[in-house]
Amino acid sequence: MSFTLPELPYSFNALEQAIDAQTVEIHYTKHHTAYLNNLNAALEKYPQFFNHPIEHILADLNQVPEEIRTAVRNNGGGYYNHILYWNGFSPDGGGEPKGKLGQLIERTFGSFLSFSKEIEKAGMTRFGSGWAWLSRKSDGSLVIHSTPNQDTPLAEGLHPVIGVDVWEHAYYLRYQNRRADYLGAIWKIINWEEAEKRYLQ
Ligand code: MN
């Protein structure tokens, strides 16, 4: 069994308050699909990996044969990161987090505002392509960081809570070069219920 693309949890135009329909459609049907197809193609020679959860493969890339390791790192990472990305948004999202995660964010970063500014800074200072993250450390504490390309927090021993794609393909049609405007807009669509669920996982 090869890896498959989970359905988008909303229509292409559902995130319009932050991300336009054409960007969502191309990003999901072209970019995300390409990562999936390239991952499956790379694993064809080593089909035993189709039985492993993608999280386990990415958390320990050294177990992947060297011949396909870079392909799995890039395309497996792209496959996994984009599943987090889509499920991390909702047309009914936005606002401020409540519950345990909301409390911890306040305690760790001082306020929701300073938390959001730090995520935006992580995205702005990632040179070239990559991701900004809120992740959970093994001791339960929170950390804001970024990764290059399609590298995942899992490879650093971190558990992702929120992932924001800062590749140009994620924002260029509406925002052109204005990555900061895209980062400022995503707060309208963050699915805090999903983030809380991931934090508690
Ligand atoms: Mn992307």
Side-chain angles (χ1 to χ4, degrees), residues 15 28 34-35 56 59 71 82 108-109 111-112 118 128 139 143 158-159 163 171 192 195 200:
L15 306 179
Y28 175 73
Y35 295 123
H56 292 186
H82 286 82
T108 307
F109 304 100
S111 67
F112 177 73
E118 257 199 69
D139 65 4
V143 60
L158 298 168
H159 179 81
Y171 61 86
W192 286 112
L200 296 172

Side-chain angles (χ1 to χ4, degrees), residues 10 21-22 45 53 84 95 118 128 132 138 146 167 176 186 192:
Y10 35 71
Q22 195 186 7
K45 256 180 97 176
L84 292 179
E118 257 199 69
S138 52
S146 77
W167 285 56
Q176 290 85 47
I186 56 127
W192 286 112

Side-chain angles (χ1 to χ4, degrees), residues 144-183:
I144 288 171
H145 64 118
S146 77
T147 56
N149 306 312
Q150 295 296 347
D151 286 356
T152 69
L154 300 170
E156 300 174 33
L158 298 168
H159 179 81
V161 176
I162 293 173
V164 186
D165 190 343
V166 296
W167 285 56
E168 279 189 346
H169 67 229
Y171 61 86
Y172 205 84
L173 291 178
R174 178 180 283 181
Y175 297 99
Q176 290 85 47
N177 58 314
R178 302 186 305 277
R179 187 187 285 188
D181 291 355
Y182 159 70
L183 285 166

Side-chain angles (χ1 to χ4, degrees), residues 35-36 40 45 59 61 73 90 105 111 126 131 135 137 146-147 154 188 195-196:
Y35 295 123
L36 166 75
N40 284 332
K45 256 180 97 176
L61 283 163
R73 176 178 175 176
S90 162
I105 283 175
S111 67
R126 168 49 58 194
W131 290 73
S135 293
K137 293 187 190 176
S146 77
T147 56
L154 300 170
K188 298 177 195 160
E196 169 100 1

